[in-house]
């Protein structure tokens, strides 16, 4: 058994260490204690041990592109700087042909996945969203379509009058393979009310993923942290994801998303600290014992901290992305994308083994 970096822990931490090493599930109280603790190195080491059991030294990435068909949105979430009103300067809604032209200008042969999200644009019918996927699938059949958040799926049910299952079936027929993880924010209806999250509530978000998993789809899920929520809110969020995973086993990865300020000029005190980002990744790894991967999202925490996070429980560094917009429309100061070579360098620089994957974590190439 490995020795703790910080051996002089209190009795409560020692109990958690024993639970983790014995494979015992952590409780809400355990998670809140970890968040409140200042013993970051012990928490990080424990998370690293869990990740080593699941993934060894392998760290995964994918060659993908982020695509945004529309930024017009009926919702006015307090943290969003991406959305526009119909007719507002900068608002856009692309046709399938326009998106294909954009992709053909920027795609390269290694791209395996389109990551597609956007606004809840109620000025177009549901068929627009179906046709958007169909156009991409017809032109690029070899590229996996990872599209739409659970909140977007819920929005589609409202504008179409269809059930969640019917919406998913229509989209799958057009080429959809998996859902993105966004729209979760913090799974607390009180939080969602205070932050004006005028889209799917907690139960609706979870039900969309439940229905997707019942159809055989494997999906992604997120947590947007760093605003008004408490540590207990974050842990309760993780527990709700864990409970659904116990039921369906449909989540592939959990993605903690560090809240970005409204402006790139926002000062350091308006951003999450590196300490908070690392602790959130580590606590996520410890609480979500039934999900294989925790993602370090370099778009939000930066390449260097992403490297460090690979010793704090993270096993995935996302992908090449190619011009991310949502975080950068807020205050993200990080790169808008990275090349395959840069991602390999990043992972090797952390003493890990880079593994290029497909959307479903099938290994394409291991870079020893």
């Amino acid at each position: 058994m490995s020795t703790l970096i910080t051996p002089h822990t209190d009795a409560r931490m020692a109990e958690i260490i024993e639970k983790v090493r014995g494979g015992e599930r952590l409780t809400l109280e355990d998670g809140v204690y970890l968040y409140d603790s200042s013993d970051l190195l012990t928490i990080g080491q424990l998370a690293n041990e869990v990740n080593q059991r699941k993934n060894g030294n392998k760290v995964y990435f994918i060659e993908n592109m982020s695509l945004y068909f529309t930024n017009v949105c009926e919702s006015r979430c307090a943290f969003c700087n991406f959305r526009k009103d119909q007719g507002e300067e900068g608002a856009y809604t692309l046709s399938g042909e326009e998106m294909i032209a954009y992709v053909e200008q920027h795609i390269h042969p290694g791209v395996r996945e389109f990551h597609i999200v956007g606004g809840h644009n109620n000025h177009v019918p549901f068929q627009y969203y179906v046709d958007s996927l169909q156009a991409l699938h017809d032109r690029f059949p070899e590229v996996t379509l990872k599209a739409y958040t659970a909140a977007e799926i819920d929005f589609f049910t409202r504008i179409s009058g269809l059930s969640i299952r019917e919406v998913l079936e229509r989209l799958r027929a057009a080429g959809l393979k998996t859902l993105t993880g966004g729209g979760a924010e913090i799974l607390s209806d009180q939080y969602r009310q205070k932050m004006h999250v005028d889209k799917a509530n907690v139960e609706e978000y979870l039900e969309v993923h439940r229905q997707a998993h019942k159809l055989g789809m494997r999906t992604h899920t997120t947590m947007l942290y760093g605003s008004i929520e408490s540590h207990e809110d974050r842990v309760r969020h993780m527990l709700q994801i864990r409970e659904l995973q116990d039921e369906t086993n449909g989540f592939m990865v959990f993605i903690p998303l560090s809240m970005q300020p409204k402006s790139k000029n926002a000062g350091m005190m308006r951003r999450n600290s590196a300490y908070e980002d690392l602790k959130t990744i580590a606590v996520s790894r410890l609480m979500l014992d039934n999900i294989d991967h925790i993602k370090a999202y370099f778009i939000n925490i930066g390449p260097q901290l992403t490297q460090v996070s690979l010793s704090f429980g993270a096993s995935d560094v996302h992908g090449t992305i190619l011009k991310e917009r949502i975080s950068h429309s807020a205050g993200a100061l990080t790169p808008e994308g990275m090349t395959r070579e840069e991602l390999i360098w990043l992972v090797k620089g952390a003493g890990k083994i880079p593994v290029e994957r497909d959307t479903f974590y099938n290994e394409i190439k291991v870079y020893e």
Side-chain angles (χ1 to χ4, degrees), residues 1-229:
M1 191 63 69
S2 60
T3 302
L4 287 175
I5 297 171
T6 51
H8 302 296
T9 58
D10 61 27
R12 187 76 177 85
M13 184 66 81
E15 178 186 333
I16 291 174
I17 292 166
E18 185 176 355
K19 277 187 171 184
V20 171
R21 289 180 167 170
E24 185 177 345
R25 176 163 277 184
L26 298 186
T27 65
L28 170 67
E29 293 75 20
D30 293 331
V32 173
Y33 172 84
L34 291 172
Y35 254 122
D36 291 341
S37 170
S38 61
D39 194 354
L40 180 62
L41 293 182
T42 294
I43 297 167
Q45 182 175 337
L46 284 173
N48 187 56
E49 288 180 13
V50 172
N51 182 49
Q52 286 283 313
R53 291 202 297 264
K54 288 182 177 290
N55 300 297
N57 280 318
K58 289 182 175 179
V59 173
Y60 295 82
F61 73 92
I62 189 170
E63 290 221 54
N64 63 350
M65 290 182 68
S66 289
L67 304 180
Y68 310 86
F69 272 92
T70 181
N71 62 353
V72 175
C73 190
E74 67 173 10
S75 299
R76 297 179 179 275
C77 303
F79 46 78
C80 183
N81 207 41
F82 174 75
R83 69 161 307 280
K84 300 288 184 183
D85 288 323
Q86 178 84 335
E88 182 181 352
E89 183 179 356
Y92 66 86
T93 301
L94 302 181
S95 67
E97 292 73 21
E98 289 171 322
M99 181 58 78
I100 287 170
Y102 171 85
V103 172
E104 289 179 334
Q105 183 180 356
H106 294 93
I107 198 170
H108 56 82
V111 168
R112 299 181 181 278
E113 173 189 282
F114 294 142
H115 180 115
I116 304 165
V117 294
H120 298 193
N121 186 345
N122 57 355
H123 298 275
V124 292
F126 171 57
Q127 191 62 39
Y128 163 83
Y129 296 95
V130 177
D131 293 343
S132 296
L133 294 190
Q134 189 71 61
L136 284 174
H137 181 63
D138 290 346
R139 176 63 183 82
F140 305 100
E142 73 285 357
V143 180
T144 299
L145 299 185
K146 179 173 78 174
Y148 305 138
T149 67
E152 286 174 277
I153 300 298
D154 176 73
F155 165 70
F156 297 157
T157 67
R158 288 191 284 108
I159 63 172
S160 68
L162 301 173
S163 68
I164 293 171
R165 185 183 182 93
E166 289 168 335
V167 165
L168 289 171
E169 288 174 338
R170 289 274 299 276
L171 294 171
R172 290 180 78 196
L176 177 70
K177 298 300 183 185
T178 181
L179 302 182
T180 68
E185 323 316 355
I186 295 291
L187 293 176
S188 157
D189 285 327
Q190 183 180 27
Y191 167 95
R192 297 170 100 76
Q193 182 178 6
K194 289 182 178 179
M195 294 295 287
H196 305 290
V197 183
D198 302 322
K199 53 189 178 185
N201 64 27
V202 173
E203 280 306 312
E204 289 163 344
Y205 178 89
L206 294 172
E207 185 60 25
V208 168
H209 282 282
R210 179 180 288 109
Q211 292 297 323
H213 298 167
K214 285 182 177 179
L215 286 171
M217 300 176 72
R218 303 192 69 210
T219 66
H220 310 71
T221 189
T222 63
M223 178 180 74
L224 181 66
Y225 66 92
S227 58
I228 64 170
E229 81 282 354

